[in-house]
Structures are given as structure tokens and as C-alpha cells.
Amino acid sequence: MISIAIVSLRGVNTGGINEDWNCWNRQRRLRFRHGRGGARQRTRNRSVNRTRKTAEAVATDIRYGVPVGRKVDLIDGDYTDLKDAGVVLVTSGVNEKTGGATDRNDPQGRLRLLAKNAEIYRDIVPKIVDAAPQAVLLVVTDPPDPLADIARETRPGATVLSAGTYLDSQRFRVHLGKHFSVDPAHVEAQVIGDHGTAQVFLWSSARVGGVPITTLLKKRGENLKDLRERIEKEVRYANITIIEGHNASQYGIGIVSVRIAEMVLKDERAVIPIGSFHKKLGVTLSLPSVVGRGGIIDVLEPELSDEEQAGLENSAKILKAALERVRDHG
């Protein structure tokens, strides 16, 4: 049996969180097919919340839709119910709108949420790891990269990943696909570094169907500088644009988080930009990595331009400074 748990928190010094996408995900995505010939395997999903009544209500709501989908068990519970989980998606914390992280001119961006959410992680991560020491923890809460470091420091030895720039990379692909009028599934483009304002767009290796972006732009008589400025702005502040129209950025992150869970549980050895701790850089940030049963199997360091390398180092520097601030007050 495959086992996933989603840990969320509501109503206790949080000011609000993004919880709706959890419900949407479990209805739409947490159903996997395994084995030869497409044999179906039961998936057990746990809804864990500090407020037990909330966990029960969420599980009950989703359970009513289960009969029309593939076989899935939905369980509401407490931390002790995480014991068999292979992956724990941690979504607890103050969201961007509630935490005041929706100003495009604020260089801190999502890092403005770090102090408050670090307090929450110091409280809940030990309970999660004590209940499910074998589980891979996927940090989804913003800002995920430094929170992954907080989680790792709180419980050394735990396997902790950050959702990182996997979603940013999909946004990058979508906007490039729109510009060139192609399916984004056939766009090869990555964002690395932090899931924040210092993220690094790998223009030097961006391609459509194997053709470099620069070649396509030259053929169209277009300027890379103009395209780069527009798309980087659209991707970097996509969350704010969504929040302005819908109050919370939730569906995209829900889809990619469950996709990461699939990669781990099915030992896919998929290669994606995802956050993990990098000793050389001293922080958790995203680089192309092989994802499987044990979390990160290997990190593939891409060939970067001088500008991209400097950007990656700057991203690490900003994350280090943010972590030092919360450690001083932790």
C-alpha cells in the first residue's frame, strides 16, 4: 500500500493557510496505478491537522467523492497516524496574503513569512519525524527552502526536500510556450536557486524541441532582452498575480507537490529542479536532481553562464542571511 500524508495547521497562531489545494489534490491526483498490466494498488491518504475536527471534516468532505474515482483510503488523524507514511507533505504556516508577502517591490518576497513559519516548523517537525522517521518530508510552505533547513536542523537525520523551483520551472515553460505558440510540454527550461525573488532562470540552456531560444528569437527578429525582462517578471511574481485575483496561489503548487510525491513513492528516478541541502553552498536550494524512493538520489550540476553562476551564488547568500536572522531569534 502506498501512503501519503498531508500535514496542515489551522487556527493556532497561523493567521490562515492554503488548505483548499490539499482537498483538490486528493480528489484529483492522489490515485496511482502500479504493477504490471496497470494493476491497481490502494493508496492511503492521511489528513493531519492540529485541530482534529478540521482534519476529520476535510477527510469526510473528500471521502464523499471517492466512489467515482480509483480506490483510495482517506483517513483523518493525529501525528501518530503518520507512522506508515512514505511521504509527508508539510503545508502548515501563514500564507502570502495573510503574512503580507504580496508587494512586488519588497525584495524579501516570501522570506517575509520565514520567522513566523519557522516557529510553526520547530513545533510540528519533531512530532512528524517521531511518528514517521522513515518518511520523506516535502516542505511546501513558503518560503520552502529555508524552512527545509529549519526542519533539517530541528530533526537532524530526517530526509527533507523543498518543493523549491519545480513550480517556477513549469511557469517558465508555460510562458515560453505561450510566446512561441507551442505546447509547454515541449519546452525545456529550468529555474534554479531559491523559490523567491533571487531565483535564477537558465536562459542559456532553454530550448523548444531542442532548438535554443536564442536561435528561435533570431529567426523571428526578436530581442532576448525584452523577452527575458517580461517573462522573468511574470514568473517571479506569478504568485502575487494569482493572489490578486483568487486570494491564494494553490492549484499549481498542489499539482507539482503531488507529482513529487509520485516520484518518491514510485522510485521514478525523475530529474527535476527541486530543493535539497547543498553543502558547498551551505543552504537548501534547487538544482536539477534525481528523485526517487530515498528522496534525492543525485544532484546534476548544469553548465551555467557566468551570469547564471553569479545568480546562484547570490541566491544562496540571500537564503543564508535569512536563516541567520531566524536562528538569532529562534
Side-chain angles (χ1 to χ4, degrees):
M1 180 179 291
I2 301 165
S3 188
I4 297 175
I6 302 180
V7 177
S8 59
L9 179 70
R10 184 182 290 279
V12 183
N13 297 323
T14 65
I17 63 167
N18 288 349
E19 192 169 300
D20 295 339
W21 70 260
N22 293 340
C23 305
W24 184 83
N25 264 337
R26 284 174 290 207
Q27 288 176 304
R28 298 282 300 190
R29 294 283 295 166
L30 293 185
R31 293 153 174 82
F32 310 137
R33 298 185 71 86
H34 293 265
R36 294 179 181 176
R40 189 168 69 175
Q41 181 169 336
R42 176 177 293 178
T43 302
R44 172 168 290 175
N45 303 311
R46 294 170 171 81
S47 170
V48 176
N49 193 290
R50 179 178 288 183
T51 304
R52 180 59 183 271
K53 187 175 181 179
T54 300
E56 182 178 359
V58 169
T60 300
D61 189 15
I62 299 168
R63 194 176 291 124
Y64 292 142
V66 167
V68 300
R70 296 174 184 170
K71 184 61 180 177
V72 59
D73 291 334
L74 286 160
I75 302 170
D76 60 272
D78 206 336
Y79 292 102
T80 55
D81 295 293
L82 299 173
K83 61 182 179 180
D84 297 323
V87 178
V88 177
L89 278 62
V90 189
T91 70
S92 306
V94 178
N95 68 16
E96 293 152 306
K97 185 172 183 179
T98 302
T102 56
D103 182 355
R104 290 178 177 81
N105 296 315
D106 181 2
Q108 284 197 71
R110 298 174 179 86
L111 292 176
R112 185 166 292 280
L113 309 174
L114 180 57
K116 184 61 183 178
N117 288 341
E119 291 179 21
I120 294 169
Y121 267 58
R122 290 186 182 110
D123 175 44
I124 67 173
V125 167
K127 299 172 185 176
I128 295 170
V129 177
D130 288 348
Q134 77 292 338
V136 173
L137 272 61
L138 176 64
V139 176
V140 181
T141 313
D142 279 324
D145 304 310
L147 284 175
D149 284 326
I150 293 294
R152 186 175 48 80
E153 293 168 4
T154 302
R155 271 295 184 269
T159 301
V160 184
L161 308 181
S162 158
T165 60
Y166 188 36
L167 176 58
D168 302 290
S169 296
Q170 308 320 307
R171 290 169 172 169
F172 190 18
R173 296 172 71 196
V174 166
H175 283 285
L176 283 173
K178 182 179 179 181
H179 181 81
F180 290 106
S181 299
V182 300
D183 183 345
H186 300 282
V187 175
E188 306 148 36
Q190 297 187 95
V191 178
I192 63 171
D194 70 305
H195 177 59
T197 57
Q199 59 191 208
V200 182
F201 295 75
L202 300 189
W203 289 96
S204 66
S205 56
R207 285 168 167 72
V208 175
V211 180
I213 294 296
T214 50
T215 300
L216 294 174
L217 289 173
K218 185 177 180 180
K219 184 177 180 181
R220 293 160 61 114
E222 296 177 345
N223 185 284
L224 175 60
K225 181 181 178 181
D226 294 339
L227 178 67
R228 176 175 173 174
E229 183 178 338
R230 175 171 58 82
I231 287 185
E232 288 197 10
K233 183 178 180 180
E234 289 172 334
V235 173
R236 189 171 277 118
Y237 302 112
N239 60 315
I240 297 176
T241 301
I242 294 168
I243 290 168
E244 289 171 342
H246 187 55
N247 291 321
S249 171
Q250 51 196 10
Y251 300 124
I253 186 61
I255 293 168
V256 299
S257 295
V258 174
R259 182 69 190 98
I260 293 169
E262 286 182 324
M263 294 173 192
V264 173
L265 293 171
K266 296 165 70 175
D267 196 26
E268 288 189 15
R269 306 300 175 105
V271 180
I272 62 169
I274 186 172
S276 65
F277 181 73
H278 298 280
K279 187 174 181 180
K280 184 168 67 174
L281 294 167
V283 290
T284 290
L285 48 68
S286 292
L287 285 172
S289 305
V290 182
V291 182
R293 181 78 67 184
I296 301 301
I297 308 302
D298 194 13
V299 176
L300 309 180
E301 297 190 18
E303 189 172 315
L304 305 177
S305 68
D306 291 343
E307 182 182 4
E308 291 164 350
Q309 181 63 43
L312 181 63
E313 292 170 2
N314 180 60
S315 184
K317 180 180 178 181
I318 288 172
L319 289 170
K320 282 181 185 177
L323 276 167
E324 288 304 317
R325 288 194 295 271
V326 295
R327 284 170 180 151
D328 291 342
H329 296 88

